[in-house]
Amino acid sequence: MLNLSCGEPTTNREDECAIAERAFKESYIRVAHPKRNGHTVAVIGSGPAGLAAANRLNRMGYTVTVFERLEKPGGLLRYGIPNFKLSKNVIDRRLTLMQDEGITFCCNHDIDLQRLPSDFDAYVVATGTPTARDLDIPGRELKGIYPALDLLAQQNRILAGHEYTDEERISGRNKHVLVIGGGDTGSDCIARTAQG
C-alpha cells in the first residue's frame, strides 16, 4: 500500500520494529503473571530458539531456568548480529521483561549435555551453532584466518566495553581482507572489518 500511495515501499522488518516500539511506548506490552503448573524446565542456550522456548513455556505456566555458557544471554542476537543491525538495548529490554515474568537466567554455565542439571522435569537443548563449518583447504592453518562469528562476537564485546590485547584483537586495519561467503554474515564481517 505504501508503494502504491507514496512510491516508497518498506520492509517487514521496519514494520515489525515500528509496531513493537509503539507497543512498548504505549504500554501494550506488559508483564504477564501466568498461573504456575508446578513443573520446571531447564533451557540450555539463550539464543533466539532458547529465548523463544523459555518465553512460551513460561507463558504456559512452567517455571523456567535458562542456562547460558557466555557472560550474557542472547546468543547469536547479542554476539553474532552487529549493533548497527540490532541494538543490544532491545535484547536487554526483552530479557528484563522475561525476568519480571519469572524466568531465571544463569550465565557463565557451560552445561555438559551428558550431565544435565538435576531437579528439572524437562530440558530444552537450544545450543545453536557456535561451531563454524571449517574449510579443508590448503593454508587454512595459517595465522589470520577466523570464523565469521569470532570476529562479530569480539566486535560486539568491544562495543560493550571489553578490552583485548593487540594479539587477541581481530582487525582488518591496513590489511587486504578476503571474506568467503556473501550472505548477511559475510556482509556484516565486511562492515566490521572496514571499521577496523
Side-chain angles (χ1 to χ4, degrees):
M1 186 59 133
L2 188 61
N3 190 34
L4 295 175
S5 63
C6 302
E8 295 181 12
T10 185
T11 65
N12 287 346
R13 178 185 179 278
E14 290 166 333
D15 291 340
E16 290 170 358
C17 287
I19 291 167
E21 288 303 316
R22 186 58 149 217
F24 271 104
K25 186 181 248 183
E26 296 187 10
S27 300
Y28 290 119
I29 297 176
R30 298 183 189 132
V31 175
H33 298 286
K35 182 180 176 187
R36 298 294 164 195
N37 62 25
H39 297 288
T40 59
V41 178
V43 176
I44 316 299
S46 71
L51 293 179
N55 189 56
R56 293 298 297 265
L57 289 164
N58 186 60
R59 293 288 176 101
M60 294 166 60
Y62 294 93
T63 300
V64 179
T65 302
V66 178
F67 293 93
E68 171 55 51
R69 71 180 175 86
L70 299 175
E71 63 271 17
K72 286 190 174 183
L76 184 66
L77 298 169
R78 183 172 304 279
Y79 297 108
I81 299 174
N83 288 10
F84 68 85
K85 280 190 169 178
L86 176 62
S87 175
K88 302 316 172 221
N89 67 358
V90 171
I91 301 167
D92 293 334
R93 178 178 62 189
R94 180 60 68 171
L95 291 169
T96 298
L97 180 66
M98 293 172 76
Q99 288 174 317
D100 291 345
E101 292 181 341
I103 297 173
T104 301
F105 290 91
C106 297
C107 294
N108 294 310
H109 278 75
D110 196 1
I111 302 296
D112 180 352
L113 295 180
Q114 302 304 315
R115 291 186 212 142
L116 293 171
S118 59
D119 299 328
F120 290 95
D121 297 312
Y123 301 87
V124 174
V125 178
T127 54
T129 57
T131 304
R133 180 178 63 96
D134 210 349
L135 296 176
D136 184 21
I137 57 174
R140 172 60 187 94
E141 73 286 351
L142 297 174
K143 185 178 177 187
I145 300 173
Y146 304 98
L149 286 181
D150 288 359
L151 167 70
L152 296 174
Q154 188 182 86
Q155 290 298 317
N156 285 349
R157 283 187 173 101
I158 289 168
L159 292 173
H162 292 246
E163 294 184 9
Y164 293 90
T165 66
D166 288 342
E167 289 80 33
E168 295 171 324
R169 179 103 188 244
I170 301 171
S171 174
R173 183 167 290 175
N174 299 322
K175 297 177 184 170
H176 296 284
V177 177
L178 170 67
V179 175
I180 299 174
D184 266 3
T185 304
S187 297
D188 293 345
C189 288
I190 291 168
R192 282 286 157 224
T193 302
Q195 294 175 353

